[in-house]
Amino acid sequence: MAGGMSLSSDGGPPTSLEGKFTFYVAVCGIIAATGGLMFGYDIGISGGVTAMDGFLEKFFPNVYVRKHLVHEDNYCKYDNQGLQLFTSSLYLAALIASFSASKSCTKYGRKPTMQAASAFFLVGTVLCAAAVNLVMLIIGRIFLGVGVGFANQAVPLFLSELAPAKIRGALNILFQLDVTIGIFIANIVNYFTSEIHPWGWRLSLGLAGVPASILCLGSFIIPETPTSLVQHGKLDVGIKMLRKVRGVENVEAEFEELKQASKVAEQVRHPYRMLMKRPSQPPLVIGILMQVFQQFTGINAIMFYAPVLFQTVGFKNNASLLSSVITGIVNVLSTLISVFSVDKAGRRVLLLSACFFMFIAQTTIGSILHVYLKATNSLHKGTAIVVVLLVCMFVMSFAWSWGPLGWLIPSETFPLETRAAGFSFAVSANMLFTFLIAQAFLSMMCHMKSSIFFFFAVWIFIMAIFVVFLLPETKGVPIDEMNERVWKQHCVSPT
């Protein structure tokens, strides 16, 4: 039995919610999580493509020339605002799209929003792969960004609402697991397409259509969540679907909770205004901070530009892409740790342990580069391998913690009446700071040099303090009881 706990109708002790993890829920979760595959593939593919000579020759000839200058500064050879805009424009579009995606989730449901996400992403893929100039390339990236914004809004909500409370963390983390798999696949694709000159970059960008097609076709198979069905007044369909996804007939207690939550949600005409009221502020602030801190670990700076980073420390093009493949494998395997432990160990333990290891990794990388990597030299091979190992340690720690939990915690903590709106703030915060980091990282690396790693280390220290003093535990709490059992007490929830 994988049930949850429900508050009794008379305000007494919690009663058990029946339900188990079914094969049907597993299949639906795997299909929906393909939205994470789209996101991850783009994160991984961007850094590899921006290191390919064919791509740089066509769109950024100045960077191509600087890259091959013998005496060009190691830290500055890729510093180009246009090149950074190629990566970051997607996240600016996703930021804006997340608010439209929130309204779409509320008005039309989670399933149609995922269908729209795949359509936007497919259009963007075609434009990028066929781009003949920088304008066409950026427009394609904007379409990809809208797709990412819609998928990142709908998929985590879908997974959190579909799952029984006892395994909500594990099922939701399928999204982040697919992000890591997408990054890994992109690194492998880049490794091989980098040898196809001058059009290998087109193949890399075009293959982004594969995960988008899987989500598009799969979205016709998966159901709408019982929560969304009840919210739209489809009570008969909603209770049938609840029985199907829980694998038991006795779902009346949970169904009554959904109906009650839906009635409360109906009374809220302006969910964004509701979020500004004091009772809604704790989950809103924590949801936003989880996403902001996720970016200020420095993870996307490393994952976007891993090939560039490894070239900077002395690896040649193929070797740098191979190093990225290695970190991609670490990313996937470490996310599995979170899948199997998040509903046992809890959220806080994973976050704090990761802060310890990430802090060590960032400060050590910064120290090594400060001492050994000057403007025009390369690191000794052994030292460069140590940097790769430290990057793997950093990625491993992030992958079991801030990566998946940055999406899980905001998706599970808002009440139904503000869930889509509140989560849109979290998604937009993620995209805003992803955009800022993507747009600024290469310039920051040029001006701050090795100090950039100490910059991220300071933020990791701040994140640890945040978890210790401000973040409540949400392990095992039914999604529609967060307000009563977590936010009103703002203490560790009962197990």
Side-chain angles (χ1 to χ4, degrees):
M1 183 72 68
M5 298 294 289
S6 171
L7 293 175
S8 63
S9 58
D10 61 359
T15 57
S16 189
L17 292 181
E18 293 197 37
K20 56 188 178 181
F21 183 45
T22 64
F23 177 75
Y24 181 68
V25 167
V27 171
C28 291
I30 291 169
I31 291 173
T34 311
L37 200 63
M38 295 184 341
F39 187 31
Y41 185 86
D42 183 82
I43 291 173
I45 216 69
S46 299
V49 165
T50 54
M52 292 184 188
D53 285 347
F55 179 81
L56 293 175
E57 278 184 287
K58 184 166 187 63
F59 298 108
F60 305 99
N62 292 336
V63 179
Y64 174 76
V65 171
R66 286 213 310 270
K67 175 183 175 183
H68 292 280
L69 285 176
V70 176
H71 298 295
E72 180 65 20
D73 190 321
N74 276 318
Y75 291 100
C76 298
K77 63 176 69 176
Y78 292 96
D79 180 18
N80 179 278
Q81 288 297 308
L83 183 61
Q84 291 173 121
L85 183 62
F86 163 74
T87 299
S88 63
S89 57
L90 181 150
Y91 302 97
L92 187 59
L95 186 163
I96 298 169
S98 63
F99 290 101
S100 297
S102 167
K103 293 181 179 179
S104 174
C105 277
T106 301
K107 186 173 182 179
Y108 303 110
R110 285 54 166 156
K111 177 177 175 177
T113 305
M114 286 189 282
Q115 291 171 331
S118 59
F120 281 118
F121 204 86
L122 284 168
V123 172
T125 298
V126 172
L127 289 172
C128 285
V132 295
N133 53 50
L134 186 58
V135 172
M136 186 174 176
L137 188 70
I138 298 301
I139 291 173
R141 295 288 292 175
I142 291 171
F143 270 95
L144 290 175
V146 175
V148 166
F150 271 64
N152 287 14
Q153 173 73 23
V155 172
L157 290 180
F158 178 90
L159 294 173
S160 285
E161 291 178 349
L162 197 70
K166 289 289 185 182
I167 59 152
R168 185 177 61 246
L171 192 69
N172 187 282
I173 289 171
L174 285 178
F175 174 77
Q176 181 66 18
L177 179 63
D178 270 25
V179 171
T180 64
I181 292 172
I183 293 170
F184 172 61
I185 291 172
N187 288 332
I188 293 176
V189 169
N190 280 335
Y191 180 73
F192 289 105
T193 58
S194 65
E195 295 295 316
I196 306 174
H197 189 78
W199 55 270
W201 62 270
R202 293 190 186 275
L203 183 58
S204 287
L205 295 178
L207 288 174
V210 175
S213 298
I214 295 172
L215 180 62
C216 183
L217 296 174
S219 64
F220 290 97
I221 300 172
I222 61 177
E224 186 56 89
T225 67
T227 301
S228 185
L229 290 169
V230 171
Q231 192 175 11
H232 288 88
K234 300 177 181 178
L235 300 183
D236 291 340
V237 181
I239 194 167
K240 288 178 183 176
M241 184 53 60
L242 189 60
R243 290 188 178 118
K244 188 171 185 178
V245 298
R246 294 293 176 262
V248 295
E249 288 297 312
N250 183 19
V251 296
E252 278 69 20
E254 185 174 358
F255 189 64
E256 285 302 315
E257 283 190 0
L258 291 181
K259 288 197 297 182
Q260 183 60 34
S262 179
K263 287 179 182 178
V264 173
E266 285 177 4
Q267 297 170 9
V268 178
R269 299 297 180 187
H270 304 286
Y272 287 102
R273 290 183 193 173
M274 184 77 173
L275 283 171
M276 298 302 111
K277 294 182 179 179
R278 185 174 293 276
S280 300
Q281 287 175 0
L284 177 64
V285 170
I286 285 176
I288 291 173
L289 286 178
M290 286 296 299
Q291 295 284 12
V292 172
F293 287 150
Q294 185 191 74
Q295 296 312 305
F296 276 95
T297 59
I299 184 63
N300 277 344
I302 286 178
M303 300 311 291
F304 285 149
Y305 301 114
V308 173
L309 176 63
F310 291 137
Q311 283 187 28
T312 296
V313 300
F315 288 95
K316 298 302 180 185
N317 193 46
N318 276 359
S320 69
L321 287 171
L322 182 59
S323 299
S324 300
V325 171
I326 293 170
T327 58
I329 294 172
V330 171
N331 201 8
V332 173
L333 295 179
S334 299
T335 303
L336 290 172
I337 296 174
S338 188
V339 170
F340 293 110
S341 63
V342 67
D343 291 311
K344 296 186 177 93
R347 283 63 162 154
R348 285 163 52 90
V349 169
L350 295 180
L351 293 170
L352 284 172
S353 60
C355 284
F356 174 77
F357 290 108
M358 289 192 297
F359 183 82
I360 291 175
Q362 290 281 30
T363 53
T364 309
I365 292 172
S367 299
I368 290 173
L369 298 188
H370 177 72
V371 173
Y372 295 107
L373 186 66
K374 307 306 178 185
T376 56
N377 73 319
S378 295
L379 289 183
H380 183 273
K381 183 178 179 181
T383 308
I385 290 173
V386 171
V387 171
V388 172
L389 292 175
L390 286 167
V391 169
C392 288
M393 174 180 167
F394 173 85
V395 170
M396 175 183 69
S397 305
F398 176 87
W400 79 54
S401 60
W402 291 89
L405 301 186
W407 295 103
L408 168 62
I409 291 173
S411 74
E412 68 181 2
T413 52
F414 291 99
L416 180 59
E417 61 267 25
T418 57
R419 187 171 299 153
F423 192 62
S424 72
F425 271 100
V427 173
S428 62
N430 179 283
M431 295 305 150
L432 172 61
F433 285 91
T434 303
F435 165 76
L436 293 175
I437 294 294
Q439 186 64 26
F441 176 69
L442 294 180
S443 296
M444 289 171 68
M445 188 165 70
C446 178
H447 292 93
M448 298 176 67
K449 302 190 182 335
S450 59
S451 297
I452 190 171
F453 296 96
F454 296 108
F455 169 81
F456 289 125
V458 170
W459 279 102
I460 291 169
F461 180 75
I462 294 171
M463 290 155 49
I465 295 173
F466 162 78
V467 174
V468 170
F469 293 104
L470 293 176
L471 187 69
E473 182 58 72
T474 54
K475 177 185 71 172
V477 182
I479 192 169
D480 288 311
E481 295 179 15
M482 288 290 174
N483 194 47
E484 290 293 328
R485 292 176 58 184
V486 175
W487 298 116
K488 285 189 176 179
Q489 289 79 27
H490 204 303
C491 63
V492 178
S493 303
T495 55

